Amino acid sequence: MPAPETSVMSRLVSLCKRRGFVFPASEIYGGLNGFWDFGPLGVQLKNNLRDAWWRAMVECPPIGPDGKPVSIVGLDSSIIQHPQTWVASGHVGGFADLMVDCRETKMRYRADHVLCVNVQYEKAGQTKELGGWISTLEGDEAEVAITKKAKKLIQKSGCGEMVPFDMSKAVNLTTMTEAQRAHVIGPDAENPGTLTEPRAFNLMFQSYVGVFQSDDSKVYLRPETAQGIFLNYKNVLDSSRVKPPFGVAQVGKSFRNEVTPRNFIFRTREFEQMEMEFFCAPEDGMMWYEFWVAERLRWWEEQGMSKDNLFRHIIAPEDLSHYSKGTSDIEYRYPFTAPGFGELEGVAYRTDYDLTQHQTFSKTNLEYIDQEANRRYIPHVVEPAAGLTRGLLALLCESYRYDESRASPEWLKLKPSLAPIKVGVFPLVNKDGMPEVAEKLYADLRRTYISQYDAKQSIGKRYARMDEAGTPFCVTVDGDTLKDQTVTIRDRDTAQQERVALDKVKAYIGEKLAV
Ligand code: GAP
């Protein structure tokens, strides 16, 4: 068991590995940076979150601001689309990060993630500069990394004592002048001036279709699921009984060759998104934008996120993309951003930009003909775009608890309906007729709820295993069960046990899960 002093993230990452939520991809070959695999508990939790989103979007969308039920349909489009898609969407020309290479260490960094501090030292009562900006990657370890490196350099050159620095005054590499950058010691380097000038690096993964590898056969793995929705907007309109306002929702994998994937599954190179494009009349765009921001915040809270850990970050007008009339990021307070927040979902009012671009590039008319109002227009779009893998991370962070007084100090307070295993079923001891009753109960419960039978080791250890998996209920068959046909049901959050009649267990769990 790691000591509680270790950071929440490192404890969470090791719990995820130990209990089969998340594994590093290709681990037996040394791993592959930016790729992760989801184990038995992780895939179930991820599917449950995905299903809750699908239910709230497609199966039972909310009531809209006009008092009418919102209409949203589903879609599952190809990961690889016609390459012109990404020219029209702007991804071929503009989907790039500024990155720098380090000539000394051969490492590559996203320029906007490199933080630089001009450390000073004191010798014989005088304060002097070290002669190089010390840099590190932003994150909760940044201050520790800068201090460690500064002390090492000061000691090596026999300079004196380090003067304490203020991390909030650290400078982002992208905001520095070329002259200043020439004195930066790269995050993993020893010497100043080894970072290259920031260069644009397109984030799309490329591949080739067919046997010949040439520019003509070049395709891209989609960097977002959204464009597949725009390409099918007309198909959906022509084939389903929908008309604006309506939405098209899609969940699926997206790929971005991120320069610096990090923070566990926060920023990865392969990830899942849950995106919905909501098509409406131009004059209603702003109303739907506000509606979806509020609705998405409400939904994340419904999944168990505390209000305090969620934040609406309204993107300043001067920072908006040229086509957006409003964008809000729904942010979550991850342990590595605390006390600040990091993006969980973006809600953007994208106007008619995407459909107009695809109309121009494909030469297909994408106007909607409103026969009742006798007008035609290209619908405006409001897009709530959430990360499924990032949502899974937020759920894990939100539910992680550490409490020395419990059988398992680490446990997950997941919303019961999202928990990968709903019920643990145990015979108190593996004899005296208890296993037979417990097995029968398990056989019945598993038809309705994902259940796990466990008869190994002490009852305390079995509760601990279930707590770590976030299982909300544990049912134990004991000596009294054989006499009065009752069992105990232990509640994960309170660790309290209640006696319930054997034939009422299923209904009891059903009631609790419905909340
Ligand atoms: N269609 C709009 C779009 O894709 P985005 O803000 O780039 O917008 C939406 O992505 C969401 O997808 C983000 O809020 C985040 O949750 C998730 N996401 C984006 N890049 C990611 C990455 N590299 N790893 C994990 N999740 C990512």
Side-chain angles (χ1 to χ4, degrees), residues 199-210:
R199 277 181 293 151
F201 170 75
N202 194 292
L203 299 184
M204 282 195 294
F205 281 102
Q206 295 179 10
S207 190
Y208 297 92
V209 164

Side-chain angles (χ1 to χ4, degrees), residues 116-134:
C116 308
V117 178
N118 196 0
V119 177
Q120 296 178 320
Y121 67 90
E122 198 180 282
K123 196 170 188 184
Q126 280 195 315
T127 302
K128 296 184 179 174
E129 286 184 358
L130 201 58
W133 292 67
I134 296 182

Side-chain angles (χ1 to χ4, degrees), residues 16-30:
C16 283
K17 168 89 197 294
R18 186 160 48 82
R19 291 311 316 270
F21 281 94
V22 185
F23 306 126
S26 311
E27 196 180 11
I28 61 169
Y29 288 103

Side-chain angles (χ1 to χ4, degrees), residues 149 162 218 293 342 421 443 485:
K149 204 161 159 189
M162 186 185 90
K218 191 156 70 181
V293 172
I421 304 169
Q485 297 295 299

Side-chain angles (χ1 to χ4, degrees), residues 224 256 258 266-268 271 273 275 343-344 383 387:
E224 61 172 23
R256 297 182 190 178
E258 299 281 1
F266 178 80
R267 182 176 296 108
T268 57
F271 55 98
Q273 290 184 305
E275 297 195 286
E343 184 179 336
L344 173 61
E383 174 197 71

